[in-house]
Amino acid sequence: MEEKKFDPWQFVGFFLIALILTWMLYNQPPVEEVPTEIAQTESSVEGNKVVVLDQTPNEEQLNAAYGSFANLFQATTSENVKIENEKLDLIFNSKGAQISSLLLKEFNNYKEEPLFLIKENQNFNYSFTTSDGRVLNSIDFYFTPKLTERSGNQILTFTAKVSDSQFLVFEYEIKANDYMIDFSIRSEGMRSLINTREEQNITWDLKAFRNSRSIEYENRYHLLTYGFEDDKVDYLSGASDDEEEDEEVHWISYKQHFFNSILIPTKSFDSVNFTSENLVDSDIIDQEYTKVYKTKIPVISSGEINHNFKWYFGPTEYDTLAQYKLGIEDSIDFGWGIFGWINKYIFTPTFNFLSGFLPYGIAIIVLTVLVRLVMSPVTYKSYVSQIKMKVLKPEIDVITAKHKDDSVKRQQETMALYTKAGANPMAGCLPALIQLPVFYALFSFFPVAFALREKSFLWADDLSSYDSVYELGFNIPFYGDHISLFPILASIAIFFYTMMTAGQQTAPQQPGMPNMKIIMYIMPLMMLFFFNNYASGLSLYYFVSNVLTIVLMLVIKNFIVDDAKILMQLEENKKKPKKKGGFSARLQAAMEQAEQQKKAKGNR
């Protein structure tokens, strides 16, 4: 193979090329700085041209970029317009003609700072395609504001003039002492300038503020909710990113737990795409936002643009929302089915009545007492059933020992004993099932009870948040960085209640099955962890409820129910002839049939 040698001429050639390139780099004439309005980018959106300008353009460049709509981009600065009523303090910006700040005057956040629903965290945009193929967005237009008064209401009109006879108008009507704003978008003389064959879109984006101490707890109730079709309600996930699309949408709610931004069209939207992005990171203590809500609404305008809405900004309070008779009170998640019905029509009006003349903590206690009194017959039935099972336990133990190797025969004789004695092993479970709707309803009620917000009781300074009595200074997974006292008291009460009920359990431990007593004792510990970040009003309810249940059981045991009399009654029942039929008889017959089939197979 021929050895490669150093070629000096090749080296000189590369050196000269490098010198020439260096000279050209440093001596080329300066490029005339092109205003970003000329340095425009174009992209295709379904065949339409989208023009993006990065700096303030001159008139010639605007005409080239936007044609007939150039006037809408000529301003270099925007103007703020401040309006307020008894409820709201608003700032509107003339660029985009949208709300840039909205303060709820009657409320503060958890830091005792003014509570904003909007503060440079919202974008509302109307996009359309021009007749010559440009896609324009109202958020980029410079509108001219005009404030007038009509029937005692403040009318803020933003006009984006294409020409003297052609313009786009955003109009807001702010009423006195009201959370609801009337809002409309309309055009005039623009029929020939807009391509009505192309889809127009309304987009509404909002970053939800954090307003409570426990951001993870609060975030469960920051939800994008919407009403659609025939009074149906749906919502996006509160724990993770989610996306949904639905038709015939009546209203769209961006809920920030106890506060709400709700868009209500006069005519239902045909189709809407919803997106919710979760921002909560448990490692960020001072996080400002919880979620990003996004809505895209395709709309059709056969001629001029004409859309009318109502916009609610205020508390997520049932009575406040219900007064508008628009169905937006359904944005409150009271629970599904019968649970929501119980909360809406029983617990909400009852609690509102009690809290009208009692301190809120006392109102919770009184409500708990009323619930326990109403459920006391069920508690009594459950306890009597447990006593019956207890007094029959010696006989059940005999049956178990006699047929320890024959489960079918053991069950047959056990059921026969129950039938003769007039005891029903399911009677102790049915009362618990009856109480379940009430239990779950109250579990859903307290976290959304607006009346509890910032109401104190004993050491809890806010019954809608946790009642911290000691800050740990570090975070325990699944528990938090603080110690709440009401959950501890509730867990202790549950533990003692568990001990009382566990003493009544008679069913033998089945091989291979988990030890139910151990699970029952673990429950109070789980509740302690689960409720540490929950509303202290809910923990107060569970504490009082379990204490009352213990007291009721002690009263029933010591003053109402006599174990000896129950045993005598069961013995008398055994002597009585039993009617055939009933659930126990059918169950026993089925077991006997199964036993016969088993024997028949064994004889083959």
Side-chain angles (χ1 to χ4, degrees):
M1 181 180 290
E2 183 180 359
E3 183 181 355
K4 291 186 178 180
K5 296 182 180 180
F6 175 74
D7 186 351
W9 297 109
Q10 187 179 37
F11 175 80
V12 171
F14 280 123
F15 180 75
L16 290 174
I17 292 172
L19 284 177
I20 294 170
L21 289 174
T22 302
W23 180 86
M24 291 176 63
L25 179 65
Y26 283 98
N27 291 278
Q28 67 179 19
V31 178
E32 182 180 351
E33 191 163 315
V34 181
T36 347
E37 59 269 7
I38 295 178
Q40 55 191 26
T41 60
E42 297 183 2
S43 61
S44 176
V45 180
E46 298 181 357
N48 298 318
K49 183 171 65 175
V50 180
V51 182
V52 180
L53 304 181
D54 299 327
Q55 291 183 0
T56 306
N58 59 38
E59 185 175 350
E60 182 180 348
Q61 294 157 350
L62 282 173
N63 289 330
Y66 298 113
S68 303
F69 291 86
N71 289 342
L72 306 184
F73 300 88
Q74 284 187 349
T76 57
T77 59
S78 59
E79 179 181 349
N80 287 330
V81 181
K82 183 175 180 179
I83 298 179
E84 62 180 310
N85 63 10
E86 286 81 353
K87 305 288 188 184
L88 308 174
D89 194 336
L90 302 119
I91 297 177
F92 296 83
N93 193 284
S94 61
K95 185 177 182 183
Q98 61 176 318
I99 303 171
S100 60
S101 175
L102 188 146
L103 169 70
L104 296 178
K105 299 170 73 171
E106 301 169 306
F107 307 101
N108 292 322
N109 64 15
Y110 71 107
K111 294 181 178 180
E112 294 301 317
E113 298 171 343
L115 196 148
F116 288 90
L117 289 185
I118 300 173
K119 193 176 182 182
E120 306 297 339
N121 61 320
Q122 172 179 274
N123 282 317
F124 186 88
N125 181 56
Y126 192 96
S127 66
F128 58 90
T129 304
T130 65
S131 55
D132 55 359
R134 295 175 172 86
V135 177
L136 301 183
N137 298 287
S138 67
I139 199 170
D140 298 323
F141 300 167
Y142 287 90
F143 291 75
T144 301
K146 182 181 180 181
L147 183 61
T148 57
E149 187 174 313
R150 183 170 63 219
S151 302
N153 299 333
Q154 300 178 80
I155 310 297
L156 180 58
T157 304
F158 287 97
T159 305
K161 294 182 66 173
V162 178
S163 68
D164 290 340
S165 59
Q166 298 170 311
F167 44 85
L168 180 68
V169 174
F170 280 30
E171 185 174 276
Y172 299 86
E173 182 173 352
I174 296 90
K175 308 176 186 69
N177 199 31
D178 202 341
Y179 296 111
M180 191 74 77
I181 297 173
D182 289 343
F183 171 53
S184 65
I185 304 173
R186 66 180 187 273
S187 67
E188 188 166 328
M190 293 176 58
R191 184 190 300 262
S192 62
L193 301 179
I194 298 175
N195 186 347
T196 56
R197 293 188 301 274
E198 293 289 340
E199 189 177 83
Q200 300 165 28
N201 289 290
I202 296 172
T203 54
W204 179 30
D205 303 342
L206 179 73
K207 292 176 75 174
F209 282 115
R210 171 190 182 177
N211 291 311
S212 298
R213 285 187 295 176
S214 177
I215 187 171
E216 291 185 89
Y217 167 70
E218 178 187 29
N219 194 43
R220 297 187 183 108
Y221 303 97
H222 280 214
L223 297 171
L224 192 162
T225 313
Y226 58 93
F228 67 108
E229 293 182 1
D230 296 327
D231 299 324
K232 294 180 182 178
V233 177
D234 205 352
Y235 57 89
L236 272 61
S237 171
S240 60
D241 297 350
D242 199 5
E243 185 174 358
E244 190 60 74
E245 187 169 346
D246 255 311
E247 300 176 346
E248 296 181 41
V249 176
H250 311 313
W251 49 262
I252 303 163
S253 163
Y254 287 174
K255 189 163 59 175
Q256 300 180 44
H257 197 180
F258 288 122
F259 301 96
N260 221 328
S261 304
I262 309 176
L263 183 66
I264 310 113
T266 301
K267 179 184 177 183
S268 298
F269 297 126
D270 293 334
S271 174
V272 183
N273 179 267
F274 306 99
T275 304
S276 176
E277 179 185 350
N278 187 40
L279 301 178
V280 170
D281 185 342
S282 57
D283 294 330
I284 303 176
I285 299 175
D286 296 324
Q287 189 163 346
E288 186 178 4
Y289 300 103
T290 60
K291 284 187 171 69
V292 176
Y293 300 128
K294 296 182 179 180
T295 295
K296 182 179 179 181
I297 309 162
V299 294
I300 299 295
S301 296
S302 56
E304 298 287 352
I305 296 170
N306 188 17
H307 303 287
N308 297 283
F309 314 89
K310 291 183 180 296
W311 224 338
Y312 174 88
F313 299 100
T316 312
E317 186 176 27
Y318 183 82
D319 290 343
T320 302
L321 295 172
Q323 69 178 345
Y324 294 106
K325 302 186 184 306
L326 296 169
I328 55 178
E329 65 274 14
D330 293 333
S331 63
I332 302 175
D333 185 15
F334 279 130
W336 56 273
I338 189 173
F339 312 116
W341 187 92
I342 292 172
N343 280 328
K344 190 181 296 185
Y345 299 110
I346 298 177
F347 289 137
T348 295
T350 302
F351 185 76
N352 288 344
F353 170 75
L354 293 173
S355 60
F357 60 91
L358 293 173
Y360 285 86
I362 301 299
I364 291 175
I365 294 173
V366 173
L367 176 66
T368 310
V369 171
L370 291 174
V371 171
R372 295 319 307 169
L373 286 175
V374 171
M375 302 305 295
S376 59
V378 177
T379 304
Y380 173 78
K381 290 285 187 182
S382 177
Y383 186 78
V384 169
S385 176
Q386 291 175 11
I387 294 299
K388 287 181 178 180
M389 302 303 293
K390 182 180 178 180
V391 298
L392 288 174
K393 187 176 186 303
E395 296 181 62
I396 293 173
D397 289 342
V398 171
I399 294 172
T400 301
K402 182 180 177 181
H403 302 289
K404 62 181 179 180
D405 296 325
D406 190 341
S407 60
V408 175
K409 194 67 175 177
R410 184 172 65 245
Q411 291 292 338
Q412 285 178 347
E413 292 201 15
T414 300
M415 292 303 300
L417 174 63
Y418 289 152
T419 303
K420 288 180 180 179
N424 185 352
M426 296 299 295
C429 301
L430 291 175
L433 293 176
I434 293 172
Q435 294 182 76
L436 185 61
V438 176
F439 174 88
Y440 183 79
L442 286 165
F443 177 81
S444 302
F445 169 75
F446 283 103
V448 298
F450 183 86
L452 294 178
R453 187 179 183 273
E454 295 188 332
K455 302 302 188 300
S456 61
F457 180 66
L458 299 178
W459 57 85
D461 55 7
D462 185 351
L463 287 168
S464 71
S465 186
Y466 57 77
D467 57 309
S468 175
V469 293
Y470 184 75
E471 297 296 326
L472 296 173
F474 57 90
N475 186 67
I476 299 176
F478 306 110
Y479 185 72
D481 59 357
H482 62 276
I483 296 175
S484 298
L485 185 52
F486 275 133
I488 294 175
L489 296 175
S491 297
I492 292 172
I494 293 170
F495 176 76
F496 281 106
Y497 172 73
T498 301
M499 289 183 64
M500 291 180 64
T501 55
Q504 307 295 336
Q505 301 301 316
T506 60
Q509 178 69 29
Q510 298 295 325
M513 295 297 290
N515 192 320
M516 294 306 295
K517 287 189 177 181
I518 293 177
I519 293 176
M520 290 173 69
Y521 287 125
I522 289 176
M523 283 299 295
L525 184 62
M526 294 175 61
M527 296 287 281
L528 176 65
F529 273 75
F530 187 74
F531 282 98
N532 192 59
N533 290 296
Y534 257 67
S536 53
L538 181 62
S539 300
L540 172 62
Y541 161 75
Y542 283 130
F543 167 61
V544 175
S545 179
N546 281 282
V547 168
L548 288 174
T549 303
I550 292 171
V551 171
L552 277 172
M553 289 184 69
L554 290 173
V555 169
I556 292 169
K557 178 180 179 180
N558 294 305
F559 300 101
I560 300 176
V561 174
D562 188 330
D563 293 12
K565 288 184 177 180
I566 289 180
L567 179 58
M568 291 176 59
Q569 181 64 48
L570 293 178
E571 293 298 330
E572 290 294 324
N573 291 341
K574 291 179 185 178
K575 299 175 183 178
K576 296 177 182 179
K578 294 296 174 184
K579 297 180 180 179
K580 294 184 178 181
F583 174 76
S584 297
R586 290 195 297 271
L587 180 60
Q588 187 173 354
M591 294 174 67
E592 290 174 355
Q593 185 178 2
E595 178 68 13
Q596 292 174 1
Q597 292 176 350
K598 181 180 178 181
K599 289 180 178 179
K601 288 182 180 179
N603 294 330
R604 289 178 183 175

